[in-house]
Amino acid sequence: MARFTLPRDLYHGKGALEALKSFQGKKAMICVGGGSMKRFGFLDRAQQYLKEAGMEVELFEGIEPDPSVETVMKGAQAMTQFEPDWIIAMGGGSPIDAAKAMWIKYEYPDITFADMCKVFGIPSLRKKAHFCAISSTSGTATEVTAFSIITDYQKGIKYPIADFEITPDVAIVDPDLAETMPKKLVAHTGMDAMTHSIEAYVSTANCDFTDPLALHAIKMIQRDLVGSYNGDMEKRDSMHNAQCLAGMAFSNALLGIVHSMAHKTGAAFADYGAHIIHGAANAMYLPKVIAFNAKDETAKKRYGEIADFMGLGGTTPEEKVELLIAYLRQMNDDLSIPHCIRQYGEDSYPTAQGFVPEEVFLERLPEIAANAIEDACTGSNPRQPSQTEMEDLLKCCYYDLDVNF
């Protein structure tokens, strides 16, 4: 038996933020990030709508990119003191992911972070509060997913929390918020969405309910991402829907080792001055993982179906996989995303020598590979890598080498 879970309600289209006026409750805590929602007036509007609904409102602000375990615990403590019956997470993937983890700790004060990370092991929520997610970026789709990514900075590892319990009750997908994204964020979140769609389609957990969502999202991203990046706001609005469809697909079909590798490399070199931004990591690793997974006949067939749906041409399955890889690499070029870690600059743009030194990468490689294999996303990948294969695959992602194993 399989399961397909989405938010109970999804409000979409311009002005969808007004749905907050219809919420019923006594207290709402709004969790937000670094200030863009306040600068553009959306935070004030959300507060006003909730007050119109008769609620007392409190803010938890300043959730950082790649939110930490410490931030989660601090936010849960604030919730314990305020006792909201609605948690409203607003912004990009980081504040929404953080608020999901805070929600767990708020409902179960004795739970540890390690307990939260047990895949599909969270006890029933909604004893104290319901959850609404309002996305301002077009990539993570965490507003409709059963996932949250939290970083343990002491270990330099990003941990996925995976459980249908943390699927939001309400998602608000208002493209007005996405129109505020800076150009670089459009690129990274867009390729995150493309990765979600492709990994969901070839995942071992794909099904008849997830495949249409994944394929249609791929088609929309193919049509609209580069234009959105170049300032076409109609395409920007469309991308906000596309990433949400991709999220619906992967939340139920799960993901693969592109995400496992991105999770485990993202903060692994933070002591050298930067993170490998999640969407950029996915964009760099996706072509390599497609080549690796295509050694599996079922995966190769499904990659070919994606290529056919995109109209890329090719007569044999091998040609179709090659054309899909070439198309994705060209997208990275069009979006100013590097092809490999060695060329990944501290600002995320391509450069001759990136911020991760070769000797440091090679020194940390065995541990990163082992952590990636243990990541929650690896189990649904169509091909299960050994330690040696994962190390070799990560080397291909560092040096931009062809994958022939």
Side-chain angles (χ1 to χ4, degrees):
M1 181 177 70
R3 179 174 174 178
F4 185 86
T5 300
L6 296 175
R8 168 66 176 78
D9 291 300
L10 190 153
Y11 298 95
H12 59 95
K14 285 182 171 293
L17 191 62
E18 285 195 39
L20 293 173
K21 291 180 181 179
S22 66
F23 282 26
Q24 295 183 354
K26 295 180 179 179
K27 292 183 177 182
M29 177 171 278
I30 303 178
C31 301
V32 292
S36 65
M37 291 297 94
K38 180 179 284 187
R39 285 197 307 276
F40 292 106
F42 294 114
L43 180 57
D44 287 344
R45 283 166 55 187
Q47 287 181 272
Q48 184 58 40
Y49 292 150
L50 289 165
K51 289 176 181 177
E52 286 183 39
M55 291 196 218
E56 181 183 349
V57 181
E58 186 168 296
L59 303 182
F60 185 87
E61 301 182 79
I63 297 171
E64 74 273 38
D66 303 306
S68 65
V69 177
E70 290 76 16
T71 295
V72 167
M73 298 306 167
K74 184 179 176 183
Q77 180 60 36
M79 289 177 186
T80 299
Q81 292 172 354
F82 182 59
E83 298 183 331
D85 46 20
W86 272 102
I87 298 166
I88 312 293
M90 188 175 192
S94 293
I96 298 174
D97 280 1
K100 286 179 176 180
M102 293 171 190
W103 183 26
I104 301 168
K105 184 70 174 175
Y106 169 50
E107 298 241 355
Y108 292 94
D110 294 333
I111 199 168
T112 65
F113 182 66
D115 288 335
M116 292 185 197
C117 294
K118 293 175 182 175
V119 179
F120 296 101
I122 294 170
S124 296
L125 299 179
R126 299 165 180 83
K127 311 291 186 186
K128 297 180 180 179
H130 286 84
F131 193 98
C132 171
I134 307 167
S135 55
S136 67
T137 61
S138 301
T140 68
T142 189
E143 73 273 9
V144 293
T145 75
F147 296 92
S148 164
I149 307 299
I150 304 298
T151 303
D152 184 332
Y153 284 92
Q154 293 183 351
K155 296 181 179 178
I157 296 176
K158 294 183 178 183
Y159 288 96
I161 300 172
D163 199 293
F164 287 119
E165 283 296 320
I166 61 171
T167 304
D169 299 288
V170 177
I172 295 178
V173 184
D174 187 333
D176 286 341
L177 280 68
E179 291 184 5
T180 66
M181 284 192 295
K183 194 169 184 178
K184 183 164 70 172
L185 189 58
V186 172
H188 295 161
T189 56
M191 288 307 293
D192 192 17
M194 179 64 97
T195 306
H196 290 156
S197 306
I198 292 175
E199 288 210 293
Y201 193 74
V202 301
S203 161
T204 57
N206 75 77
C207 69
D208 290 339
F209 298 94
T210 59
D211 284 352
L213 294 166
L215 286 175
H216 191 59
I218 289 167
K219 192 72 170 179
M220 292 177 72
I221 296 165
Q222 178 189 19
R223 183 190 68 203
D224 295 326
L225 175 54
V226 174
S228 171
Y229 176 74
N230 289 322
D232 185 325
M233 287 301 159
E234 188 174 333
K235 291 183 179 294
R236 180 78 54 87
D237 294 351
S238 176
M239 274 299 303
H240 208 43
N241 289 343
Q243 63 87 30
C244 187
L245 295 173
M248 293 178 186
F250 91 78
S251 185
N252 291 280
L254 308 180
L255 292 165
I257 58 173
V258 178
H259 273 76
S260 303
M261 294 157 63
H263 293 155
K264 287 355 183 198
T265 54
F269 309 102
D271 52 330
Y272 281 81
H275 280 206
I276 301 175
I277 296 170
H278 179 72
N282 283 336
M284 293 189 295
Y285 307 163
L286 179 59
K288 306 303 183 188
V289 170
I290 289 173
F292 175 79
N293 283 342
K295 303 296 188 293
D296 175 90
E297 288 300 317
T298 300
K300 179 166 64 177
K301 177 176 177 290
R302 290 185 74 80
Y303 287 130
E305 291 169 358
I306 291 171
D308 287 343
F309 198 74
M310 295 174 71
L312 301 183
T315 56
T316 67
E318 290 77 15
E319 286 178 353
K320 293 175 183 180
V321 170
E322 289 176 5
L323 287 167
L324 177 59
I325 289 171
Y327 187 92
L328 293 168
R329 288 178 64 89
Q330 182 60 53
M331 284 191 82
N332 287 348
D333 287 338
D334 293 340
L335 299 168
S336 299
I337 296 174
H339 289 299
C340 62
I341 299 171
R342 185 173 61 176
Q343 297 172 351
Y344 185 93
E346 210 167 321
D347 59 0
S348 84
Y349 288 116
T351 184
Q353 178 57 58
F355 82 94
V356 181
E358 180 180 22
E359 63 275 12
V360 174
F361 171 80
L362 293 173
E363 177 188 344
R364 299 181 185 181
L365 176 61
E367 183 179 3
I368 292 170
N371 289 334
I373 289 171
E374 292 299 316
D375 188 88
C377 294
T378 300
S380 48
N381 193 68
R383 187 178 171 200
Q384 292 298 301
S386 66
Q387 174 73 20
T388 299
E389 287 170 335
M390 182 61 84
E391 289 186 23
D392 288 344
L393 190 54
L394 283 161
K395 285 179 184 176
C396 291
C397 292
Y398 184 84
Y399 297 108
D400 193 18
L401 302 174
D402 290 337
V403 177
N404 53 16
F405 52 90

